[in-house]
């Protein structure tokens, strides 16, 4: 071909391409998509036939569509990517982690023709798949672990919903079912308690949104929450913003206020909030299976019995000890001899008081905290028989009482001095023990309490004397009470806790009511009532379902959304899957399929995929499998300049766009390279004390991260982990079908200086030093770990020089290798997958 | 054919089609490219290039500071009916409240004869540079809502903060520092939402330095120092990184992102010198430190913040917020013991005066807009007939200085009690519109398309208060 001819070809191709792109970015101009004001995405899905192209390039139906388009504008596909590059791409796409050097080696050595699809199947079956693809979905549903708003409350059990999402992708729940569970799981029938649990947890979708629970006008809050739910459902499932119609008919899309308030009625009749000064999200109690239920009931029965026994024993003990409580003890009901202070011999000035109810009898005496050394009380008692007696004192305690009240025990045989701390409560019912004392018949016992040298009130209520038998019996009962207390604690711990999850249920039937239209969205400006219902704007394609009087209408909404001929739900989802696989969607505004969004680059392909996905039962894994097994997925990202010039944004998918790793991938990659990734799944991301009722985000202080995958780290709306917000993690306040990709110096500072990055580099160094011998092999391992390739000659030289210089300076091999690993973490290549 | 760069090409295409989708695309593109390249043309010639916002968290009492109401002294202690917004929200009623005189004496200052109370003797000396708005109004009765409204123009919904909008509109001026910095922001009342970019690209997010209650130091800037390498070693390490990058680049075709990442490392490396230079106050003269009240226990903390703010704007940072705030309860929030206003006024008065003087002396005040405001003012009557004042969003005072506003000027007025704005009310949205205007941005044209809808800071309201402009 002459240069001239080539130029003509280029120019023609450029013109075709320009027209194609112009149509894409200028909705309204492309008549093919807009006929009679009818927007392409609202028209029925038209299953297109796979184009026939005379080429053996296509491996799958999507390839045929892409190639046909490419041929139409005169652009050929890029060459295939190198196998190692392709495999790395596949691993990141499916599980968000790089292949290990061993996995890469095994793949390259595998000569079977189906080595690719075998690897695909293995990755789809890995639990890591759900962690990666679940995270995509968590972006879409604005998942977070706190409420945001003026007071950002920490969610106690949002993690259950997160784990449900991951599990759903791993078990490949059909998409229609997945949608229904999240909107109306509580209204779906379940075949087992486990399924019922899943269904209830799924409705967490409705309540994990950013809400300002502090809002004082609770009716307004109800509408705000319903609005948030409607807007999320609109963008997540339909790719249409419905929220605008709260205040006026939608300006661009055909959503009328009527339809909005019909939908609002559905969510206002759904219980998703519990009102209080600062309100709170609703939580559902999770059911358990029969065996667990039986275990629970048995445990509760055991608690009941232990408590009963304890009560009985306590009653016995009370006969000796009285009860130190707000009701005065009756001295006549207490065993032994009880001498009240009022009948003791008083010297000095004692004040009669009934201020504290925790007393014995009518009153007690105190010294008024005065006249120290001048007051005493004598209790005199003559023993009726020879034996040993237990003497105890009753008083009412308080912080203003003396800590050292002098007590004198006198018998004909001995004199004992002791002190009582009246600032603390008595430890045996109303009494403290003064001592055991031996008396002969007719011996007189004198118990004297004085206020000598005391620094606080001295209070005296009563003295009790028990015989040896009584004392023994009391001690025995006291031991039984102690044992039973421990027993109760033990059996209580044995009761499985009632598990709850954030979720929503219908309000009771008698509370159901329709919402009026609120004019300009103002609560006070009530227009006519609108019956609850699903949106009408697709009535020509999907017949709207009637909402029965006895339910909110969520189930009907969920069924309507997942109707087999729904033009939006299926298109929106297959487009998301395409985007997560290829980097950008066939429609590049994944949450906006309305008239202000972009039209699809390949409308026939989108419809082909949507129709088939729906017909085949909505298996995400099957769809992903087809996409990653396509030829298009395995193309090189490098291409000739013509392709770059004609299709700079790669809208034709005839090469592969390299992409920046997402925040989670970046961190997980460093963890897996360092060999310190904890692969355990699920569970709360925050400790129990932070998930208690009423804890606010500002109380968290420093965020502590585990070594589990990033999807399991706490994601607080005001306090996301640093890697997450620096590397453009999804904004947790909105449906986020597509993350930004920014390049900032703050990212560079993080990779250069963050302590956790340095630690991971250190761990990587230790691993490399331990696993292989010799600097060359170590360098090769390091490159394999970081880039899935061997170092080039130039790279060997650069790293080798650095290594030698540092070692010559006396740096330790651990430090030098850590610096090398750190350098590779900082490279451009590390951040991208080709 | 003349060659267009990507941006120009896009702008032309955008004009050609007027497509909404393109605005989004354009923003994404802008977000992807390296920071240095993102300066954008304003809508009209700007009067201010930078903003320092002195945020007085909790709501200082205007009738005790800058809004002199002799009637309050005359009628001190009388029970009068006021349509208190909180009482109305809770009970729907108008009840009688006890008028409470200002606890501080007022006198006139400067050629403008501006009334200032004893609380601000130092700021008072600058009244001829200040432009007062006595008729400010806002939305939200509680701190959380009003604070979010002040910063983002929204209460229930998550929206970009003013600083983010400004960066989005003007791009970034500075290469070695982030362009939107907030000093010691509080974690309460919305926390980071007050400096978040929400749905705008995350490059427009504010960078927090320190947290409320912390002393500003080098450690307050995220990852600004390597804990293990000294700077010579770090340079050598970064040289290795960049050599590896170049070696790789030699094998791959030219790539804008590739260059942008390489560049971001060099910027980061520069920041490591620039940030300590800004945060390091030891290079400042003794007189300067003293003038800001640094070293004096009462003023040390806010003095440091103000001096660092000056250094930041001097270094070209576009939007600096200085927070006088507290994580547990907003400092200016005297529902009882209004006398405690004295503590807060003392903490901020000298540093603010020093900042104004310092900016002026350095010729920075001409194109730096200083804005002093709380999230609302306070009632002219005692709360529950006690010793403090409740929140008042119906009328309060804020002031500006420099950056194209009239010096020594007073605009608007509250009624004779200082309860409601009655003359030329200025809504917070008008303030937003005016600040954008001073920076060269038309608030009705500064829009961003998100999820199929166009958003702006002022939503469907806002009026540029031309009367304030010099």
């Amino acid at each position: 071909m002459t240069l001239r001819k080539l130029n003509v070809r280029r120019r023609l191709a450029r013109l075709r391409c320009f027209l194609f792109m112009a149509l894409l970015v200028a909705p309204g101009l492309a008549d093919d998509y807009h006929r009679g004001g009818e927007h392409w995405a609202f028209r029925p899905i038209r299953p297109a036939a796979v184009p026939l192209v005379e080429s053996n390039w296509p491996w799958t139906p999507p390839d045929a569509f892409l190639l046909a388009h490419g041929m139409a504008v005169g652009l050929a596909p890029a060459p295939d990517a190198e196998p190692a590059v392709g495999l790395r791409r596949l691993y990141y796409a499916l599980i968000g982690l790089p292949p290990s050097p061993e996995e890469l080696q095994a793949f390259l050595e595998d000569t079977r023709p189906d080595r690719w699809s075998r690897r695909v199947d293995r990755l789809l079956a890995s639990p890591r798949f759900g962690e990666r693809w679940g995270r995509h979905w968590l972006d879409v549903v604005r998942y977070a672990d706190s409420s945001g708003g003026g007071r950002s409350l920490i969610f106690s059990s949002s993690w259950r919903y997160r784990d449900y999402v991951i599990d759903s992708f791993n078990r490949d729940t059909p998409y229609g079912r997945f949608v229904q569970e999240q909107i109306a799981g509580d209204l779906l029938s379940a075949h087992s308690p486990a399924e019922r649990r899943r269904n209830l947890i799924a409705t967490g979708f409705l309540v994990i949104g950013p809400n300002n629970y502090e809002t004082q006008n609770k009716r307004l809050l109800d509408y705000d929450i319903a609005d948030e739910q409607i807007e999320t459902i609109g963008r997540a499932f339909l790719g249409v913003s419905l929220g605008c119609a709260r205040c006026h008919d939608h300006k661009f899309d055909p959503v009328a206020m009527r339809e909005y308030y019909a939908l609002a009625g559905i969510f206002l009749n759904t219980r998703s909030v519990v009102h209080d000064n600062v309100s709170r999200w609703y939580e559902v109690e999770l059911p358990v299976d029969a065996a667990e239920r039986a275990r629970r009931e048995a445990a509760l029965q055991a608690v009941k019995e232990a408590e009963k026994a304890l009560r009985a024993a306590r009653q016995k003990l009370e006969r000796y000890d009285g009860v130190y409580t707000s009701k005065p003890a009756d001295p006549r009901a207490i065993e032994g001899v009880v001498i009240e202070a009022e009948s003791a011999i008083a010297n000095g000035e004692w004040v009669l008081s009934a201020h504290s109810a925790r007393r014995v009898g009518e009153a007690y005496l105190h010294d008024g905290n005065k006249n120290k050394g001048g007051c005493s009380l004598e209790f005199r008692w003559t023993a009726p028989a020879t034996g040993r007696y237990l003497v105890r004192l009753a008083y009412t305690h308080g912080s203003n009482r003396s800590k050292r009240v002098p007590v004198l025990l006198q018998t004909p045989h001995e004199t004992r001095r002791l002190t009582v701390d009246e600032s603390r409560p008595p430890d045996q019912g109303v009494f403290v023990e003064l001592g055991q004392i031996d008396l002969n018949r007719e011996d007189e016992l004198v118990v004297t309490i004085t206020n000598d040298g005391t620094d606080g009130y001295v209070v005296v209520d009563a003295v009790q004397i028990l015989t040896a038998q009584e004392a023994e019996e009391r001690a025995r009962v006291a031991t039984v009470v102690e044992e039973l207390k421990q027993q109760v604690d033990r059996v209580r711990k044995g009761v499985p806790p009632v598990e709850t999850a954030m979720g929503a249920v219908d309000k009771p039937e008698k509370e159901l009511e329709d919402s009026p239209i609120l004019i300009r969205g103002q609560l006070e400006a009530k227009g006519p009532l609108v019956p609850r219902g699903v949106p009408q704007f697709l009535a020509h394609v999907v017949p709207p379902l009637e909402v029965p009087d006895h339910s909110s209408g969520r189930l009907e909404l969920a069924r309507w959304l997942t109707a087999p001929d729904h033009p939006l739900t299926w298109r929106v989802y297959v487009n998301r899957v395409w985007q997560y696989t290829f980097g950008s969607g066939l429609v590049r505004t994944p949450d906006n399929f309305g008239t202000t969004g972009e039209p699809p680059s390949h409308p026939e392909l989108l419809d082909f995929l949507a129709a088939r996905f729906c017909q085949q039962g909505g298996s995400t894994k099957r769809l992903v499998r087809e996409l990653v097994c396509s030829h298009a997925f395995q193309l090189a990202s490098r291409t000739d300049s013509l392709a770059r010039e004609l299709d700079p944004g790669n809208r034709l998918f005839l090469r592969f766009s390299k992409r920046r790793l997402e925040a989670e991938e970046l961190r997980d990659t460093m963890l897996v390279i360092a060999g310190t990734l904890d692969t355990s799944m699920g569970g709360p991301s925050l400790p129990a004390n932070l998930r208690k009722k009423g804890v606010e985000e500002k109380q968290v202080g420093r965020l502590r991260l585990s070594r589990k995958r990033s999807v399991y780290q706490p994601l607080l709306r005001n306090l996301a982990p640093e890697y997450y917000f620096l590397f453009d993690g999804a904004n947790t306040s909105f449906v986020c079908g597509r993350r930004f990709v920014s390049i900032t110096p703050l990212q560079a500072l993080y990779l250069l200086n963050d302590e956790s990055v340095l630690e991971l580099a250190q761990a990587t160094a230790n691993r490399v030093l331990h696993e292989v011998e010799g600097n060359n092999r170590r360098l090769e391992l390091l490159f394999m770990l970081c880039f899935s390739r061997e170092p080039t000659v130039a790279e060997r030289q650069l790293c080798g020089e650095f290594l030698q210089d540092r070692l010559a300076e006396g740096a330790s091999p651990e430090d030098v290798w850590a610096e090398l690993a750190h350098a590779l973490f900082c490279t451009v290549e590390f951040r991208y997958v080709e | 054919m003349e060659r267009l760069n990507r941006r120009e090409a896009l702008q032309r295409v955008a004009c050609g089609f007027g497509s909404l989708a393109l605005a989004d695309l354009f923003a994404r593109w802008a977000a992807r490219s390296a920071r240095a390249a993102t300066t954008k043309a304003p809508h009209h010639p700007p009067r201010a290039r930078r903003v320092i916002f002195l945020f007085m968290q909790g709501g200082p009492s205007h009738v005790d500071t800058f809004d002199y109401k002799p009637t309050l002294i005359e009628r001190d202690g009388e029970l009068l009916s006021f349509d208190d917004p909180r009482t109305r929200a809770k009970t729907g009623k108008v009840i009688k409240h006890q008028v409470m005189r200002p606890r501080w004496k007022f006198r006139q200052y400067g050629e403008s004869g501006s009334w200032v109370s004893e609380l601000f003797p130092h700021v008072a000396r600058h009244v001829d540079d200040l432009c007062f708005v006595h008729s400010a109004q806002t939305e939200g009765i509680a701190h959380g809502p009003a604070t979010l409204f002040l910063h983002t123009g929204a209460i229930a919904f998550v929206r970009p903060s003013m600083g983010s909008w400004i960066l989005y509109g003007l791009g970034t001026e500075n290469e070695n520092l982030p362009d939107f910095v907030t000093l010691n922001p509080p974690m309460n009342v919305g926390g980071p939402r007050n400096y978040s970019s929400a749905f705008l690209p995350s490059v427009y997010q504010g960078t927090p330095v320190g947290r409320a209650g912390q002393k500003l130091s080098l450690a307050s800037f995220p990852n600004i120092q390597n804990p293990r390498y000294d700077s010579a070693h770090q340079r050598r390490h970064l040289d290795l990184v960049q050599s590896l990058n170049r070696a790789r680049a030699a094998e791959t075709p030219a790539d804008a992102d590739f260059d942008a990442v390489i560049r971001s490392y060099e910027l980061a490396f520069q920041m490591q010198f620039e940030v300590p230079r800004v945060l390091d106050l030891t290079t400042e003269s003794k007189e300067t430190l003293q003038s800001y009240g640094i070293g004096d226990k009462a003023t040390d903390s806010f003095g440091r913040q103000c001096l660092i703010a000056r250094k930041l704007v001097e270094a070209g940072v576009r939007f600096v917020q200085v927070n006088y705030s507290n994580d547990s309860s907003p400092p200016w929030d005297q529902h009882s013991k209004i006398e405690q206003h004295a503590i807060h006024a003392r903490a901020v008065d000298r540093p603010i005066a020093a900042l104004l003087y310092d900016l002026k002396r350095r010729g920075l005040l001409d194109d730096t807009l200083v804005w002093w405001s709380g999230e609302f003012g306070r009632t002219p009557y005692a709360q529950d007939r006690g010793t403090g004042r409740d929140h008042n969003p119906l009328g309060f005072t804020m002031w500006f200085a420099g950056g194209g506003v009239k010096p020594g000027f007073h605009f608007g007025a509250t009624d004779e009690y200082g309860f409601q704005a009655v003359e030329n009310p200025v809504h917070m949205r008008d303030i937003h519109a005016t600040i954008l205007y001073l920076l060269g941005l038309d608030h009705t044209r500064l829009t961003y398309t998100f999820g199929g809808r166009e958003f702006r800071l002022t939503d469907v309201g806002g009026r540029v208060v031309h009367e304030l402009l010099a």
Side-chain angles (χ1 to χ4, degrees), chain A residues 658 722 728 745 753 809 819, chain B residues 202 223 236-237 255 272:
Chain A
K658 75 174 186 166
E722 202 174 11
D728 311 291
N753 298 337
E809 288 165 19
E819 287 165 21
Chain B
S202 49
N223 302 313
R236 191 164 144 204
H237 185 256
D255 177 340
Q272 296 184 129

Side-chain angles (χ1 to χ4, degrees), chain A residues 310-546:
Chain A
L310 177 61
R311 255 196 319 276
R314 272 194 171 139
Q315 274 167 9
K316 266 190 204 162
L317 186 61
E318 281 163 16
R319 292 222 310 272
Y320 296 93
D321 288 0
V323 191
Y324 193 67
T325 157
S326 55
K327 220 174 117 208
D330 180 356
R332 284 161 304 179
I334 298 176
E335 298 281 336
V337 177
V338 177
I339 311 167
E340 292 215 62
E342 298 96 300
S343 49
I345 301 157
N347 297 306
E349 196 176 320
W350 289 91
V351 183
L352 195 68
S353 173
H355 180 74
S356 170
R358 288 188 273 208
R359 61 177 187 262
V360 179
E362 299 293 317
Y364 53 90
L365 296 179
H366 66 78
D367 70 342
N369 199 15
K370 281 190 292 210
N371 198 17
K372 294 300 183 190
C375 299
S376 70
L377 270 182
E378 274 178 36
F379 293 83
R380 288 173 180 272
W381 179 72
T382 307
T386 301
R388 174 168 285 191
Y389 294 88
L390 174 67
V391 187
R392 302 200 293 178
L393 173 73
Y395 62 90
T396 70
H397 83 286
S399 58
N400 61 354
R401 311 298 204 250
S402 170
K403 289 186 171 161
R404 298 182 59 80
V405 175
V407 178
L408 196 67
L409 296 180
Q410 285 171 297
T411 70
H413 320 288
E414 61 170 324
T415 298
R416 257 189 248 172
R417 289 170 199 281
L418 51 135
T419 63
V420 171
D421 180 355
E422 293 196 339
S423 69
R424 302 158 69 133
D427 59 353
Q428 299 179 352
V430 298
F431 298 111
V432 286
E433 200 172 305
L434 296 177
Q436 300 209 359
I437 213 144
D438 291 316
L439 295 169
N440 293 327
R441 189 164 178 268
E442 299 295 320
D443 278 352
E444 188 180 45
L445 166 69
V446 184
V447 180
T448 310
I449 293 126
T450 72
N451 66 352
D452 286 348
T454 54
D455 54 347
Y457 283 80
V458 172
V459 180
V460 185
D461 194 353
V463 165
Q464 180 199 40
I465 300 149
L466 294 175
T467 64
Q469 294 93 317
E470 286 168 338
E472 218 167 87
E473 179 59 13
R474 188 218 155 261
R476 196 188 62 76
V477 176
T479 315
V480 171
V481 166
E482 246 352 275
E483 281 166 7
L484 284 171
K485 261 197 220 161
Q486 285 172 17
Q487 169 72 5
V488 167
D489 282 351
R490 242 190 335 268
V491 291
R492 273 195 188 142
K493 275 189 197 130
V495 180
V498 175
E499 292 179 321
T500 60
M502 301 176 73
V505 294
D506 267 11
K507 285 190 178 168
E509 195 176 335
K510 60 178 191 306
E511 288 178 31
L512 298 181
E513 56 183 8
D514 291 325
S515 169
I517 288 183
L518 301 182
I519 295 151
R520 287 185 312 282
Q522 305 282 318
L523 276 184
E524 311 79 44
K526 287 183 182 151
L529 281 182
V530 192
R532 304 191 291 284
V534 304
Q536 302 289 316
F537 68 97
L538 296 172
H540 59 293
V541 191
V542 200
L545 290 172
E546 290 289 316

Side-chain angles (χ1 to χ4, degrees), chain A residues 625-665:
Chain A
R625 188 180 196 283
E626 172 161 48
L627 298 188
V628 296
C629 285
S630 69
H631 202 165
F633 184 77
Q634 297 173 57
L635 293 178
S637 61
R638 303 170 194 185
T639 181
D640 61 57
S641 57
L642 181 69
R644 267 173 203 282
E645 197 182 328
L646 292 182
D647 185 14
N650 194 16
R651 303 229 50 194
L652 298 175
F653 301 100
L654 293 173
R655 63 178 185 275
F656 202 88
S657 289
K658 75 174 186 166
R659 69 172 176 88
R660 218 272 317 277
L661 294 183
E662 289 178 357
E664 293 89 341
E665 290 175 300

